[in-house]
Amino acid sequence: MPHERPGDPASDAEAALLVAGALAASYPAVARLSRPMLHTEQMIWYAEQMERHPDAPAWPFDPVEPATG
């Protein structure tokens, strides 16, 4: 489903809820995590990703310029 009004807070929130619902349906073990535990897991997953790709931008912590070309 296209995101019809990107940048509109209500539309962005609705899209985020749809994504969260799809992820929860696809990964029930993740859906059962508490919010603090999910955040902890996200930090671990991010650290593991950075170990595999140390040259990747540290988004969202470092600004990233759009690619041109």
Side-chain angles (χ1 to χ4, degrees):
M1 168 185 287
H3 185 36
E4 296 178 12
R5 296 181 319 270
D8 173 70
S11 184
D12 290 349
E14 184 178 353
L17 287 172
L18 290 171
V19 170
L23 288 169
S26 297
Y27 301 96
V30 173
R32 289 189 295 272
L33 294 173
S34 67
R35 286 178 294 199
M37 194 62 201
L38 176 60
H39 185 247
T40 299
E41 290 294 326
Q42 287 173 321
M43 291 188 298
I44 293 167
W45 297 329
Y46 178 77
E48 290 171 351
Q49 182 73 10
M50 291 308 293
E51 284 178 10
R52 288 192 298 274
H53 304 283
D55 58 337
W59 180 91
F61 306 108
D62 290 340
V64 176
E65 294 298 321
T68 59

